[in-house]
Amino acid sequence: MPDIHVSAAIIHDAEGRVLVVRKQGTTAFMQPGGKPEAGENAAETLARELDEELGLKVDEDALRPLGRFISAAANEPGHRVVADAFALTIEADAVAVQAEIAELRWITPADIGTLELAPLSLEHLLPLAWPATTSTP
């Protein structure tokens, strides 16, 4: 199964909500992020993607590394996503839909059963975001 390498962010706001996005032409929500360009490390990739997708300027040093996680790709059947994940806390009004993003939402654990979420988000990232309140289905 081919791998797709990405960087992804678990972004909290002051209320403890987590940001998820839905890309144009897709149905599943996921953590913001994307694929690296030539020569980029994982943090550089994420900083660039957050700027392009959400207008969020972040210093790479502000990104807290969480590790590497592997799940089925949400939008590319037959592929796996290999994600370098980072955590970040921002003001909720610091982001806006841009580029290929169709929609963004700030969610709580109560929203997990009500939204279509990418496997990477459900299996790995949201349990990290709310370790005491979420579990893998």
Side-chain angles (χ1 to χ4, degrees):
M1 183 178 295
D3 289 342
I4 301 166
H5 291 269
V6 300
S7 291
I10 297 174
I11 301 177
H12 285 95
D13 69 1
E15 297 175 33
R17 299 178 302 173
V18 171
L19 181 68
V20 292
V21 299
R22 185 178 58 76
K23 298 185 187 246
Q24 300 279 353
T26 68
T27 57
F29 282 85
M30 61 187 61
Q31 268 50 56
K35 299 172 188 166
E37 292 183 352
E40 284 183 330
N41 67 36
E44 290 169 334
T45 297
L46 186 56
R48 177 185 49 76
E49 288 284 345
L50 293 175
D51 185 23
E52 291 173 2
E53 294 181 351
L54 300 168
L56 182 63
K57 306 263 190 239
V58 258
D59 188 289
E60 293 166 39
D61 294 335
L63 300 171
R64 299 183 305 275
L66 298 171
R68 180 169 280 182
F69 304 92
I70 300 171
S71 288
N75 299 318
E76 299 182 50
H79 289 73
R80 294 187 322 169
V81 64
V82 178
D84 289 301
F86 297 85
L88 182 66
T89 301
I90 66 167
E91 297 295 323
D93 62 0
V95 292
V97 169
Q98 295 187 175
E100 72 269 18
I101 301 302
E103 185 178 359
L104 65 82
R105 290 194 190 176
W106 289 97
I107 65 170
T108 67
D111 295 310
I112 289 181
T114 66
L115 282 180
E116 181 181 348
L117 292 162
L120 179 69
S121 295
L122 276 176
E123 296 167 6
H124 299 291
L125 301 184
L126 293 176
L128 282 174
W130 302 300
T133 58
T134 56
S135 61
T136 304

